[in-house]
Amino acid sequence: MKLEILTKNENQEIQNGIISKIRDLINYKNLEPGDKLPSERMLSEKFEVSRTNVREAIQKLEFYGLLKSKPQSGTFIADIGQVAMNGMIEDILRLEDPDFKSLVETRILLELKTVRLAATRRTEQDLTNMKEALDAYSVKVENGMDAVQEDLLFHLAIAKASGNSTMNTFMLIITPEIITKFEEYHVCDKGMAFKGIQEHQDIFEAIKNQDPQLAKEKMKIHFKALYQYCYNI
Amino acid sequence: MKLEILTKNENQEIQNGIISKIRDLINYKNLEPGDKLPSERMLSEKFEVSRTNVREAIQKLEFYGLLKSKPQSGTFIADIGQVAMNGMIEDILRLEDPDFKSLVETRILLELKTVRLAATRRTEQDLTNMKEALDAYSVKVENGMDAVQEDLLFHLAIAKASGNSTMNTFMLIITPEIITKFEEYHVCDKGMAFKGIQEHQDIFEAIKNQDPQLAKEKMKIHFKALYQYCYNI
DNA sequence: CAAACCAATCTGGTTAACCAATTCTTATTA
DNA sequence: TAATAAGAATTGGTTAACCAGATTGGTTTG
């Protein structure tokens, strides 16, 4: 067998090919929820790809909740019908990499919600965590240092305090890319950083006082520059 | 070497252990953005776990954008500082599985936004896709059949039309679990399904007429029962 | 002395062999 | 004949060997 090193993009295309073949198989064999998929070995032979490739494709579909593999037993169709299966695989295949605008737009949406939830649900421990992150940010800025990381950590502390694990996860997913792009595009300059201290303080106070509406308003103010930036790219 | 079959939970704990060890190493060695992590083989030896386990842990951190591995070269710290690295790993380790309430809460938040975006950005192709999904739903309901899948596909079509790939991805992530739980808890009964046809139609019309505010209102109506359900569990 | 070259080594990725739990078949027995 | 036990085959998961590109240190050469 010839060996070849593939770029991540080529690898992704192979994986997508396998996924669409799995979809075709499910349709052709009329597999329903709970039915068993052919074994990994069989699929790798049928599709003429390595078993590793098949496993990766299955794991991706498992991540999206479409398949469920059980050790020493087999891979099974999840409790989701053929219609949804086809539609979702179609979407997964066409999914494109997120652009910066999408990321920021989503971040703003999530944070305007998490800050409200945090204001109603925050525990004492949450307040302690947020205060720590807030102080770390202040120290960095007052010493004239870059504080993008500390900024984001304060926001992540809010997400955690929201008590919504799904939104918390989503914030974690988009945060690193946002940090990278921020530093790349120099979204935050020194002047904004100083203003940020007071803005963070205001947000923190609103959450502490359990005032969701005020917390949201303060967050909106904090995002004002970001808003404009996002919609002027 | 003794071989042992582990449950997914046990495996996850091993992975978290490795991740925290990687974090400790990064701190101890003061690794900065761009620095190279020790090789997978070295880590697996140092931590006394299999290389596969190390690879999985690295892939997880790569998913969250904290590491970046290059073939035949090494695994590198992403463009993110030590502070954010520590904070994010901490969060990732403590991340809990999403509960149903979190899922629904997030879905409502996302959809009230995607429907507005769809109303402003939808293309003709988007309208065609949505109309197809809408008709499929109607047919199923009118024939007295379960239509949870078709319902969700209509909503996914809206997410796609929003033109925001991040939100689209997030919708794809939470959708299958929602479908499963809906069918499990029988959230949608027949009566609701019939009402749903008109509600879907209203949403579709608002998007077609590019009226974001109306689209959001119609979506809110559509979610009314879901709202109550979510907050009464 | 610096630039170009080369081979040994190291790297993440890939493949193939192996493991043990499960499942299916078959033989045995009450 | 039906219930049961034994064993062979199949399965996803795991480990170890292998691959080829990338790196590195030393050597040669202009």
Side-chain angles (χ1 to χ4, degrees), chain A:
Chain A
M1 164 100 40
K2 181 70 187 305
L3 231 170
E4 204 177 341
I5 299 290
L6 300 174
T7 66
K8 299 218 165 152
N9 233 329
E10 290 167 331
N11 202 356
Q12 167 113 12
E13 274 177 35
I14 288 182
Q15 205 178 93
N16 279 351
I18 296 174
I19 289 179
S20 69
K21 279 175 186 161
I22 291 178
R23 176 199 52 193
D24 294 342
L25 186 76
I26 290 175
N27 289 328
Y28 182 67
K29 296 263 183 186
N30 271 309
L31 297 182
E32 297 171 0
D35 284 356
K36 189 158 81 172
L37 219 61
S39 73
E40 296 176 353
R41 287 169 183 79
M42 210 170 294
L43 291 178
S44 78
E45 198 175 340
K46 199 183 184 83
F47 299 159
E48 291 179 332
V49 294
S50 77
R51 197 182 143 201
T52 309
N53 288 138
V54 172
R55 278 180 65 79
E56 285 169 350
I58 289 177
Q59 277 166 13
K60 184 163 182 179
L61 292 179
E62 215 176 340
F63 172 77
Y64 284 104
L66 300 181
L67 296 178
K68 189 83 187 160
S69 64
K70 288 206 291 188
Q72 287 77 41
S73 177
T75 302
F76 300 85
I77 311 285
D79 289 331
I80 204 176
Q82 230 176 63
V83 179
M85 177 72 75
N86 273 295
M88 284 203 52
I89 289 183
E90 191 74 12
D91 285 349
I92 291 171
L93 290 177
R94 291 186 194 280
L95 210 55
E96 55 208 15
D97 286 341
D99 52 309
F100 190 41
K101 187 177 173 183
S102 289
L103 282 169
V104 173
E105 208 168 69
T106 310
R107 180 192 166 185
I108 292 174
L109 173 72
L110 282 171
E111 292 227 54
L112 290 183
K113 184 71 181 186
T114 54
V115 77
R116 268 179 291 167
L117 292 177
T120 54
R121 299 175 183 169
R122 94 286 185 287
T123 64
E124 286 303 317
Q125 180 62 52
D126 289 329
L127 288 177
T128 310
N129 294 340
M130 288 167 49
K131 187 74 169 65
E132 250 176 56
L134 192 152
D135 290 341
Y137 176 77
S138 305
V139 168
K140 272 287 190 81
V141 170
E142 280 161 2
N143 289 353
M145 300 164 78
D146 179 84
V148 175
Q149 298 173 51
E150 285 76 8
D151 180 25
L152 264 293
L153 284 185
F154 176 68
H155 289 270
L156 281 177
I158 295 175
K160 198 194 289 182
S162 76
N164 184 307
S165 53
T166 307
M167 293 188 199
N168 196 358
T169 305
F170 288 169
M171 278 293 293
L172 280 171
I173 292 176
I174 63 178
T175 293
E177 200 150 357
I178 287 189
I179 291 184
T180 306
K181 299 275 186 178
F182 268 31
E183 290 175 338
E184 185 179 324
Y185 296 162
H186 301 290
V187 175
C188 299
D189 60 16
K190 303 284 181 199
M192 274 176 62
F194 260 107
K195 267 206 321 188
I197 295 180
Q198 185 58 48
E199 290 171 0
H200 277 193
Q201 188 70 43
D202 291 344
I203 295 168
F204 175 73
E205 288 298 329
I207 293 175
K208 189 177 173 187
N209 296 331
Q210 304 199 281
D211 186 340
Q213 203 50 44
L214 182 63
K216 183 184 175 185
E217 286 309 316
K218 293 298 182 186
M219 183 66 84
K220 250 186 183 160
I221 293 172
H222 188 48
F223 278 156
K224 199 180 166 195
L226 189 54
Y227 246 124
Q228 293 170 340
Y229 182 84
C230 174
Y231 283 94
N232 284 323
I233 289 177

Side-chain angles (χ1 to χ4, degrees), chain A residues 149 152-154 156-157 160 168-180, chain B residues 19 23 60-67 78 80-95:
Chain A
Q149 298 173 51
L152 264 293
L153 284 185
F154 176 68
L156 281 177
K160 198 194 289 182
N168 196 358
T169 305
F170 288 169
M171 278 293 293
L172 280 171
I173 292 176
I174 63 178
T175 293
E177 200 150 357
I178 287 189
I179 291 184
T180 306
Chain B
I19 289 179
R23 176 199 53 193
K60 184 163 182 179
L61 293 179
E62 215 176 340
F63 172 76
Y64 284 104
L66 300 181
L67 296 179
I80 205 176
Q82 230 176 62
V83 180
M85 177 71 76
N86 273 296
M88 284 204 51
I89 289 184
E90 192 73 13
D91 285 350
I92 291 170
L93 290 177
R94 292 186 193 281
L95 209 55

Side-chain angles (χ1 to χ4, degrees), chain B residues 4-114:
Chain B
E4 204 177 342
I5 298 291
L6 300 174
T7 66
K8 300 218 166 153
N9 233 327
E10 289 168 332
N11 204 355
Q12 167 114 15
E13 275 178 33
I14 288 182
Q15 205 179 93
N16 280 351
I18 296 174
I19 289 179
S20 69
K21 278 176 188 162
I22 290 178
R23 176 199 53 193
D24 295 342
L25 186 76
I26 290 175
N27 289 327
Y28 182 67
K29 296 261 184 188
N30 272 309
L31 297 183
E32 297 171 359
D35 283 356
K36 190 158 78 174
L37 219 62
S39 73
E40 297 176 352
R41 287 169 183 80
M42 210 171 295
L43 291 177
S44 78
E45 198 174 340
K46 200 183 182 83
F47 299 158
E48 291 179 331
V49 294
S50 77
R51 198 182 142 201
T52 309
N53 287 138
V54 172
R55 278 179 66 78
E56 285 170 350
I58 289 177
Q59 276 166 13
K60 184 163 182 179
L61 293 179
E62 215 176 340
F63 172 76
Y64 284 104
L66 300 181
L67 296 179
K68 189 84 188 159
S69 63
K70 287 206 292 187
Q72 287 79 39
S73 175
T75 302
F76 300 84
I77 311 285
D79 289 331
I80 205 176
Q82 230 176 62
V83 180
M85 177 71 76
N86 273 296
M88 284 204 51
I89 289 184
E90 192 73 13
D91 285 350
I92 291 170
L93 290 177
R94 292 186 193 281
L95 209 55
E96 54 208 15
D97 285 340
D99 51 310
F100 190 41
K101 187 177 173 183
S102 288
L103 282 170
V104 174
E105 208 169 68
T106 310
R107 181 194 165 185
I108 292 175
L109 173 71
L110 282 171
E111 292 227 53
L112 290 183
K113 183 70 180 186
T114 55

